[in-house]
């Protein structure tokens, strides 16, 4: 920290850190950008990282995981909020009339893989967890009852009453197959919706379109469930008025959630959604407003499996699972992934690769093409703004893109900040330090 502070280039380093928006693990780039006149070949401007502090440019890591980089995850969260919101009320290129389209907010849960400790409440008062008067004793000698009133922060929440009975394989296989289950759900919904209105799926396209946006959330027991927005559009997407078939949309969603299945064929296992299904209508002034939905979805977009107490990095095949700093429940889920992952018949599921995610390898937030704008478009808009800002602050000369040839060479030169640099970055940007560990990656 002292070395950095005494460095004659400190103020320029500080400027890079500020420009990276408080990124905790900025990516270091080495390289140059040259601008040539297309007509004469004359070099108009050259930028090289040679003259930057340590010869590198520090750019944001752009992760969506809050556990890795709160600053970049916040940018991602805000972007997700904007694009979910645009799909509900318009904006960012989506017409405002979209707010009149029927919209559902649906939660699809995972099935049970064994009884787990839960906190149940009645008017804010905690109820006994799993009270059973004549509870069975499992083959491992454990009574399948728990009369405790768990506190909201009790670490045992989500953990099984008997870990030896719990279906760990089922839990990680469900996570692995859930993106396929979701895909089949969307197809089944369209099919059912068409049929309820006396149409084929193909003919439906002439009258209506159905747009989806979803996020995955980890429950405490370590399985994912999905929250999704389902919107009814006209044949040309959000810009065209939908047909007045609102009720059949909900009916089709209920049907699809109940009937779809996905198989893990080599093991002969079939998975379906859990019986807990929540469907609510989104309205501008009702119980469930578009703001609440957008905020909710965006919140989960930046969370990963680490909120169940697992790792935020890949598990290596040679890692000693017993030594991983996780609770027993997460360790058993990771172990199930590693064990099933070594079965060649299950290679497609890539369970070893996604063991730290407890088997889930899908995207955290996805949406159908016509839902609203894209993260890419939002990013491009922001980058354009940044470029304009850089030009006006004199970093780059004003050049006409059509007449100028831009040649850029970039090279990855590492990532992260030293502990001392992290302290300085926190002071410079006001973004808090990580609670544990740190250092360059
Ligand atoms: Zn970052
Ligand atoms: Zn309990
Ligand atoms: Zn047992």
């Amino acid at each position: 920290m002292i070395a950095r502070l005494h460095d004659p280039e400190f103020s320029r380093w500080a400027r890079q850190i500020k420009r990276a928006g408080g990124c905790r693990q900025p990516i270091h780039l080495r390289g140059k950008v040259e601008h040539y006149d297309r007509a004469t070949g004359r070099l108009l401007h050259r930028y090289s990282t040679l003259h930057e502090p340590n010869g590198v440019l520090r750019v944001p890591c752009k992760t969506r995981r809050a556990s890795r980089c709160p600053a970049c995850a916040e940018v991602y969260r805000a972007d997700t909020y904007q694009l979910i919101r645009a799909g509900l009320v318009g904006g960012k290129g989506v017409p405002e009339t979209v707010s009149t389209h029927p919209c559902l907010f649906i939660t699809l849960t995972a099935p049970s893989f064994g009884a787990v400790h839960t906190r149940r409440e009645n008017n804010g008062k905690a109820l006994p967890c799993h009270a059973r008067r004549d509870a069975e004793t499992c083959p491992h000698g454990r009574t399948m009852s728990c009369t405790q009133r768990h506190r909201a922060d009790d670490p045992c929440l989500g953990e099984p009453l008997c870990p030896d009975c719990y279906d760990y394989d089922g839990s990680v296989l469900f996570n692995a197959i859930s993106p396929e289950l979701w895909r089949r759900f969307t197809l089944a919904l369209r099919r059912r919706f068409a049929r309820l209105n006396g149409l084929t799926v193909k003919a439906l396209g002439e009258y209506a379109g159905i747009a989806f946006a979803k996020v995955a959330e980890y429950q405490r027991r370590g399985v994912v469930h999905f929250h999704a927005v389902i919107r009814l559009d006209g044949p040309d997407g959000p810009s065209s008025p939908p047909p007045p078939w609102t009720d059949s949309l909900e009916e089709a969603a209920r049907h699809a959630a109940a009937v779809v299945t996905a198989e893990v064929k080599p093991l002969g296992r079939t998975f379906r959604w859990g019986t807990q299904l929540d469907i609510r209508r989104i309205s501008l002034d009702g119980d469930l407003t578009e703001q609440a939905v957008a905020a909710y979805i965006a919140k989960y977009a930046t969370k990963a499996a680490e909120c169940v107490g697992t790792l935020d990095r890949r598990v290596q095949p040679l890692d000693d699972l017993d030594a991983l700093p996780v609770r027993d429940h997460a360790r058993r889920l990771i172990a199930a992934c590693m064990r099933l992952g070594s079965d060649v018949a299950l290679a497609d599921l890539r369970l070893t690769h996604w063991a730290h995610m407890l088997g889930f390898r899908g995207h955290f937030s996805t949406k159908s093409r016509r839902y609203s704008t894209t993260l890419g478009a939002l990013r491009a808009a922001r980058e354009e703004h940044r470029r304009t800002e850089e030009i006006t602050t004199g970093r780059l000369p004003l050049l006409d893109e059509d007449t100028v040839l831009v040649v850029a060479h970039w090279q990855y030169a590492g990532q992260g900040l030293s502990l001392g640099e992290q302290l300085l970055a926190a002071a410079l940007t006001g973004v808090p330090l990580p609670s544990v560990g740190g250092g360059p990656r």
Side-chain angles (χ1 to χ4, degrees), residues 23-26 60-63 69 71-72:
C23 176
R24 185 180 281 173
Q25 45 176 15
C61 70
K62 293 190 178 172
T63 183
C69 177
C72 293

Side-chain angles (χ1 to χ4, degrees), residues 294-309:
Y296 195 63
I297 289 206
K299 184 177 123 202
Y300 286 110
T302 57
K303 284 194 178 170
E306 59 266 23
C307 32
V308 233

Side-chain angles (χ1 to χ4, degrees), residues 121-144:
E121 284 182 12
N122 187 10
N123 292 327
K125 258 188 68 184
L127 299 173
C129 161
H130 218 86
R132 299 282 183 278
R133 196 163 293 127
D134 26 59
E136 287 173 37
T137 304
C138 83
H140 312 97
R142 296 186 177 98
T143 312
M144 285 292 138

Side-chain angles (χ1 to χ4, degrees), residues 8-19:
E9 292 184 320
F10 173 75
S11 63
R12 296 184 53 216
W13 177 84
R15 216 179 308 145
Q16 278 195 6
I17 293 297
K18 280 187 190 162
R19 200 177 298 124

